[in-house]
Amino acid sequence: MIRLDGVGQVFDGREGRVTALEKIDLHVRGGEFVTLIGRSGCGKSTLLRLIAGLLPPTSGSVAVADEPVTGPRRDVSFMFQRPALLPWRSVLSNVMLPVEIDKGSDRSKAAYRDRAHQLLELVGLQGFERRLPHELSGGMQQRVSLCRSLIRDPQVMLMDEPFSALDALTRTELSEELQRIKMELSTTIVFVTHSIEEAVVLADRVVVLTPRPGRMRDVVDIDIPRPRSLAQNAYVTEVATISARLHALLSEKESEDRR
Ligand SMILES: Nc1ncnc2c1ncn2[C@@H]1O[C@H](COP(=O)(O)OP(=O)(O)OP(=O)(O)O)[C@@H](O)[C@H]1O
Ligand SMILES: [Mg+2]
């Protein structure tokens, strides 16, 4: 579903050149859940922006669904760390925003409206359709943002630390919801997180990036049965063991760099 071959990204900033990513070869299968971890500044957000078509790579190629990425695609959604809702629009019309911006949508507006109601129900926000964002908690706003990124049934969801500003409980709930959605809709997901444990609980595969420039340090398969939870996890030991291994991988690179 997603192919990055020999991808590199160099920025010419005011402070000189920054090589953000180098030699990234990543293939993500349809329906797969991949999480990306690595230190701050290692190029995780850049990698998502490349897949989203928000940035052309300086080298290598990026393809989605066997087509070279040349710009944003209707079937690829992007979810940010902050909900970024329009404050003057109701919950429902925030969810409907992508449909309204893109006039070439393939379904009728009424069908999308039904879908929006369905999604809001799925994340426990039925009855809140007419509220304004400021009337909701941060976690509820992020749920609205999740619905918005699902409204057009994306084939691919790119998620940049979407739950990191949330309290632990909400985070656990949303990560369970996301797994349910993924299993139900077989969406392909690339998810960036700073939490190693979250990366393990969510992923089919965890990609570990090295500090700048970001290269692929390792790819770890997670074979733990689903559903998995950050809370009552029947597989606490498995999650802890893999998390410890990933932790070691991340810090190992740092000591190599210091030499
Ligand atoms: N538009 C840009 N112009 C210049 N440099 C940039 C630009 N975007 C990113 N960079 C640089 O590229 C590197 C990677 O940035 P990126 O935001 O992808 O890191 P990240 O892994 O997402 O970090 P964090 O975990 O803190 O979100 C950083 O050094 C950053 O300063
Ligand atoms: Mg980032």
Side-chain angles (χ1 to χ4, degrees):
M1 182 57 72
I2 304 171
R3 284 188 75 108
L4 292 98
D5 289 298
V7 167
Q9 186 66 44
V10 179
F11 292 109
D12 277 315
R14 258 173 296 172
E15 320 257 305
R17 300 198 123 194
V18 176
T19 305
L21 292 169
E22 216 170 62
K23 295 185 196 140
I24 303 290
D25 294 308
L26 176 64
H27 299 174
V28 182
R29 291 183 291 275
E32 194 177 17
F33 201 137
V34 167
T35 54
L36 286 179
I37 57 172
R39 287 181 182 264
S40 184
C42 77
K44 303 179 295 297
S45 297
T46 303
L47 192 57
L48 288 193
R49 288 170 64 211
L50 290 169
I51 302 171
L54 300 173
L55 184 73
T58 32
S59 55
S61 63
V62 183
V64 169
D66 290 327
E67 291 165 6
V69 171
T70 52
R73 294 170 56 107
R74 187 185 297 167
D75 55 358
V76 175
S77 75
F78 204 119
M79 188 171 163
F80 303 95
Q81 184 171 359
R82 291 180 196 271
L85 303 176
L86 296 178
W88 60 87
R89 280 186 159 238
S90 70
V91 162
L92 184 66
S93 65
N94 264 291
V95 174
M96 291 289 284
L97 193 64
V99 178
E100 286 168 24
I101 290 173
D102 176 17
K103 298 294 178 201
S105 295
D106 33 344
R107 278 191 259 173
S108 73
K109 195 155 172 205
Y112 277 114
R113 197 174 283 272
D114 288 346
R115 179 71 182 139
H117 281 286
Q118 235 177 38
L119 288 169
L120 286 166
E121 196 176 326
L122 186 71
V123 302
L125 284 177
Q126 66 275 34
F128 289 87
E129 293 84 354
R130 301 177 69 170
R131 301 281 189 99
L132 291 171
H134 78 267
E135 299 175 293
L136 307 181
S137 71
M140 291 161 95
Q141 290 183 30
Q142 199 58 314
R143 281 166 209 234
V144 175
S145 164
L146 179 62
C147 293
R148 183 177 57 189
S149 74
L150 282 164
I151 186 72
R152 285 189 300 182
D153 293 330
Q155 292 207 68
V156 174
M157 287 175 83
L158 306 170
M159 310 182 79
D160 198 354
E161 300 182 48
F163 304 151
S164 58
L166 306 175
D167 67 88
L169 255 179
T170 310
R171 189 175 187 145
T172 303
E173 281 169 16
L174 278 185
S175 87
E176 285 166 15
E177 259 158 35
L178 184 60
Q179 288 181 77
R180 257 203 310 280
I181 288 166
K182 185 248 171 190
M183 291 199 278
E184 198 177 304
L185 306 176
S186 55
T187 318
T188 308
I189 303 176
V190 184
F191 185 107
V192 169
T193 176
H194 274 284
S195 157
I196 295 178
E197 209 187 17
E198 185 174 66
V200 173
V201 166
L202 290 174
D204 298 317
R205 279 193 298 158
V206 181
V207 174
V208 185
L209 295 176
T210 64
R212 227 168 53 202
R215 287 196 210 118
M216 285 171 62
R217 172 74 183 82
D218 215 332
V219 179
V220 178
D221 287 306
I222 313 291
D223 292 324
I224 304 170
R226 289 184 194 271
R228 308 173 194 151
S229 166
L230 280 166
Q232 300 151 335
N233 199 332
Y235 308 101
V236 186
T237 325
E238 288 87 338
V239 171
T241 310
I242 302 172
S243 298
R245 196 171 130 214
L246 290 171
H247 209 281
L249 270 175
L250 284 167
S251 38
E252 177 188 311
K253 185 64 197 172
E254 182 197 34
S255 50
E256 272 174 32
D257 280 356
R258 280 201 192 128
R259 258 182 255 144

